Amino acid sequence: MTRTPTPIVLKGIRYAFGANTVLNNLDLTVEGGTTVALLGPSGCGKSTLLKLLAGLLQPQSGVIHFADRLIASATSFRPPEQRDIGMVFQDYALWPHMSVAQNVGFPLLMRRVPNAERLTKIMVALERVGLADFALRKPSDLSGGQQQRVALARAIIAEPSILLFDEPLSNLDRDLRESLCREMSILLPQLGITAVYVTHDRNEAEVLADNIVHLSQGSVTSIQAVKPLSGETA
């Protein structure tokens, strides 16, 4: 990708469900082109933060910027389709009646990308995730790991500025989880897309992320650098 990677900046983010404050004056900056893992116990605010980035929730105070674009505040809100994001869900979220190629190409179909260009991009995306030979199969013919690769290909096909991951490997067995985690750790830097990855698994976070953001009671408690910055040695 040739464009400049998109940083994410959140300032003073607060979100509550009734009397339960889930995010409390949270500040976080994600450097463009890096992968950040959100790590913490259940109820710490990881999923709520991801939903705010995705446009599934609106902050009650504070602001969210993608580069210089105001994405959301208490009084301003861009819907998901205007955020230039891709998202990979825990449960794959594939359409069972569609082939692998149709699932992957759906975001481009919605953008009215011409057929020839769409087919080319579908095969490029499937090549990236090692499923070029599975284009005509249905999701039900695939293993869990393969289905999640399809979901990843669908998320990256439109070359979004930002990728969001909602515990995408948690439904896989340990061997599949570890192998796909390694593959993603290689693919994400190649794509150059800013990524936010929610997980309960510290090992997963350490393999995938440039930085691990530790959350507790709705606030960032620490940020742990995992991978050396460009030009540094481990």
Side-chain angles (χ1 to χ4, degrees):
M1 299 179 70
T2 57
R3 61 185 172 187
T4 302
T6 300
I8 300 170
V9 179
L10 303 98
K11 292 185 177 179
I13 297 297
R14 182 184 179 278
Y15 195 88
F17 294 98
N20 179 28
T21 299
V22 181
L23 295 173
N24 185 21
N25 198 34
L26 181 142
D27 294 337
L28 177 64
T29 297
V30 180
E31 183 181 347
T34 65
T35 298
V36 161
L38 304 181
L39 190 65
S42 296
C44 71
K46 303 187 302 295
S47 294
T48 300
L49 179 53
L50 199 73
K51 289 176 181 177
L52 288 166
L53 293 173
L56 304 178
L57 295 174
Q58 182 173 2
Q60 292 158 348
S61 62
V63 294
I64 301 173
H65 283 87
F66 293 172
D68 58 355
R69 291 188 300 150
L70 175 62
I71 294 299
S73 68
T75 57
S76 177
F77 183 80
R78 291 184 185 234
E81 63 272 18
Q82 295 180 13
R83 296 190 180 204
D84 192 22
I85 60 173
M87 191 158 184
V88 182
F89 300 92
Q90 187 178 54
D91 61 356
Y92 320 138
L94 302 178
W95 289 284
H97 64 287
M98 291 184 179
S99 69
V100 165
Q102 289 170 329
N103 268 282
V104 172
F106 189 77
L108 301 185
L109 183 66
M110 293 296 95
R111 290 170 172 80
R112 305 182 189 277
V113 173
N115 286 345
E117 181 182 352
R118 187 167 75 250
L119 290 173
T120 297
K121 288 180 177 291
I122 287 170
M123 294 313 299
V124 169
L126 287 174
E127 286 276 4
R128 285 189 178 276
V129 299
L131 290 180
D133 295 333
F134 293 77
L136 300 181
R137 298 198 188 184
K138 293 290 179 66
S140 59
D141 298 326
L142 307 182
S143 69
Q146 289 168 334
Q147 289 186 58
Q148 198 55 290
R149 286 181 174 89
V150 175
L152 177 58
R154 182 180 59 193
I156 67 176
I157 191 169
E159 300 183 347
S161 298
I162 292 167
L163 277 175
L164 304 175
F165 294 87
D166 184 15
E167 300 192 65
L169 307 183
S170 61
N171 286 337
L172 306 179
D173 65 41
R174 179 173 294 278
D175 288 344
L176 276 174
R177 195 161 63 238
E178 290 179 352
S179 64
L180 189 50
C181 185
R182 287 193 298 270
E183 291 174 23
M184 289 170 61
S185 74
I186 296 169
L187 177 61
L188 288 176
Q190 292 174 349
L191 295 173
I193 298 173
T194 309
V196 179
Y197 190 99
V198 168
T199 182
H200 283 90
D201 189 317
R202 174 177 290 276
N203 291 333
E204 220 172 90
E206 290 178 345
V207 169
L208 279 164
D210 298 287
N211 295 287
I212 298 174
V213 175
H214 298 269
L215 297 179
S216 180
Q217 298 181 341
S219 297
V220 174
T221 57
S222 65
I223 299 177
Q224 172 191 351
V226 180
K227 297 177 183 177
L229 297 175
S230 177
E232 295 182 358
T233 57

